[in-house]
Amino acid sequence: MSIRLGYQIPNYTYPGVPVENLFDTVTAQAKEAEAAGFDTVLVMDHFYQLPGIGAPEANMLEAYTTLGALASATSTIQLSALVTGNTYRNPALLAKTVTTLDVVSKGRAILGIGAGWFEREHNDLGFEFGTFGQRFERLEEALTIIAPMLKGETSTHEGKWYVTRGAMNNPRLRPNIPIMLGGSGEQKTFRLAARFADHMNIICDVDDLARKVGVLRERCTEIGRDPATLATSYLVMGMIGENEQEVKELSESIPEDRRNRAFLGTAEQVAEQLHEKVIGAGIDGITINLIRNGHRPGMVTTVAEALKPIVKA
């Protein structure tokens, strides 16, 4: 499993597109990404739109229903959430959900998972939020349950947060389904990634990226794991315009708190920036979203053509 070039779809509000045609627009992006050479399509696991992208009442599709539908609309591209909020689902149910997605997609599912962070969703929808430490306790227990179930092993676990008693997970298509953790926590997330993950998607300001990569490698070494066996990627907010005027307009829409994670310019200019600041920091692959114009036909292809040369194996 490798994510060298991922396309994330975080936005479901498309000007002039009515709800009855909304998923057609999502599907078109996934198909274009597959045809253009992206290896993975990813969606957010949220119920409200995130600050910095749109208002909370803006359109947001449930992640695994969306991924299951995209499985039938595509044929080769990997499918994942970036990332599943552990607090939203029982871990044994999540193992079953991702395994079903793998069967439906004929072996293209990835379990992307994190501790969960968007407090308003928890409060409004009735999910227990808890403290920062509690959420990571729950994530560790969840991975202890999920990891064996993805391999076809039964899970028996008596924990503080979760209980399983010989939990089974059939049918399965592959001997294992890869696990990707998403986040930036050096003491908790990175340690869990070293223990459980096949892939780590690092989410941080770009200026801190090289140091984060170094710490992640240390966490692997601490438990005797070869750091080369834990692939990495970086989530990029792509503010990519087709001309100078559009680039200028996009620059004015970048949220202040995301300016250190956003990359602005034409596709070729952004590719140069990513080659220097992301690949140059030791990251293996790039996952990019195009929150303002990814739904525009041809935009995903333009970006893929610019980025493929910098992430080739």
Side-chain angles (χ1 to χ4, degrees):
M1 168 262 182
S2 176
I3 301 177
R4 299 290 292 183
L5 188 59
Y7 178 63
Q8 186 202 38
I9 306 174
N11 180 32
Y12 302 107
T13 300
Y14 309 122
V17 178
V19 172
E20 58 265 31
N21 300 126
L22 190 159
F23 188 67
D24 294 336
T25 305
V26 176
T27 300
Q29 291 176 73
K31 287 183 172 181
E32 186 175 338
E34 183 175 67
F38 282 92
D39 56 56
T40 311
V41 165
L42 309 100
V43 300
M44 298 198 305
D45 185 28
H46 287 289
F47 305 101
Y48 292 172
Q49 185 52 275
L50 301 186
I53 298 179
E57 61 269 19
N59 296 335
M60 181 55 59
L61 299 179
E62 193 279 323
Y64 282 96
T65 308
T66 303
L67 290 170
L70 290 177
S72 294
T74 57
S75 58
T76 60
I77 202 161
Q78 297 177 120
L79 301 166
S80 182
L82 183 60
V83 286
T84 310
N86 178 62
T87 46
Y88 299 138
R89 296 170 187 81
N90 171 281
L93 173 61
L94 179 58
K96 170 63 76 174
T97 300
V98 174
T99 304
T100 299
L101 176 63
D102 201 55
V103 172
V104 169
S105 66
K106 295 181 170 60
R108 295 185 281 135
I110 297 169
L111 171 60
I113 190 168
W117 65 271
F118 195 4
E119 186 172 6
R120 178 172 176 177
E121 287 180 333
H122 292 75
N123 292 340
D124 285 11
L125 277 71
F127 295 108
E128 184 177 358
F129 190 60
T131 65
F132 178 82
Q134 288 171 339
R135 292 196 299 281
F136 276 93
E137 287 179 2
R138 292 166 70 179
L139 178 60
E140 183 173 3
E141 281 197 31
L143 288 166
T144 301
I145 292 168
I146 292 168
M149 291 183 70
L150 296 185
K151 299 175 183 176
E153 302 168 8
T154 59
S155 170
T156 297
H157 177 80
E158 295 279 345
K160 177 180 177 180
W161 299 99
Y162 304 114
V163 175
T164 53
R165 301 182 180 91
M168 297 181 288
N169 187 26
N170 296 307
R172 294 180 311 108
L173 183 67
R174 292 187 285 174
N176 194 17
I177 295 172
I179 295 174
M180 170 178 65
L181 261 67
S184 62
E186 299 173 14
Q187 299 302 321
K188 297 181 183 296
T189 303
F190 285 5
R191 291 185 191 279
L192 291 176
R195 286 178 56 196
F196 291 103
D198 303 282
H199 191 99
M200 179 72 216
N201 183 271
I202 299 177
I203 303 172
C204 68
D205 291 349
V206 70
D207 293 340
D208 203 26
L209 189 54
R211 191 186 66 80
K212 293 284 187 184
V213 171
V215 174
L216 180 63
R217 290 171 177 166
E218 289 176 9
R219 297 294 172 260
C220 290
T221 302
E222 287 168 359
I223 63 169
R225 178 175 179 175
D226 180 357
T229 65
L230 180 56
T232 57
S233 58
Y234 181 67
L235 178 60
V236 171
M237 176 181 279
M239 291 294 186
I240 298 177
E242 295 188 273
N243 52 57
E244 290 185 10
Q245 179 58 35
E246 186 177 15
V247 170
K248 182 177 183 297
E249 292 170 358
L250 288 170
S251 72
E252 296 168 355
S253 71
I254 301 173
E256 192 61 38
D257 63 345
R258 300 200 183 196
R259 289 192 173 274
N260 290 327
R261 303 181 189 184
F263 287 77
L264 174 70
T266 65
E268 292 75 18
Q269 289 168 342
V270 167
E272 290 178 8
Q273 297 167 32
L274 293 175
H275 185 262
E276 175 188 354
K277 296 183 178 182
V278 177
I279 302 302
I283 290 288
D284 300 313
I286 291 167
T287 292
I288 192 167
N289 60 47
L290 304 168
I291 61 174
R292 303 300 179 214
N293 54 17
H295 63 285
R296 182 192 302 162
M299 195 65 199
V300 171
T301 301
T302 297
V303 172
E305 291 304 311
L307 296 187
K308 281 189 293 186
I310 71 169
V311 296
K312 61 185 178 182

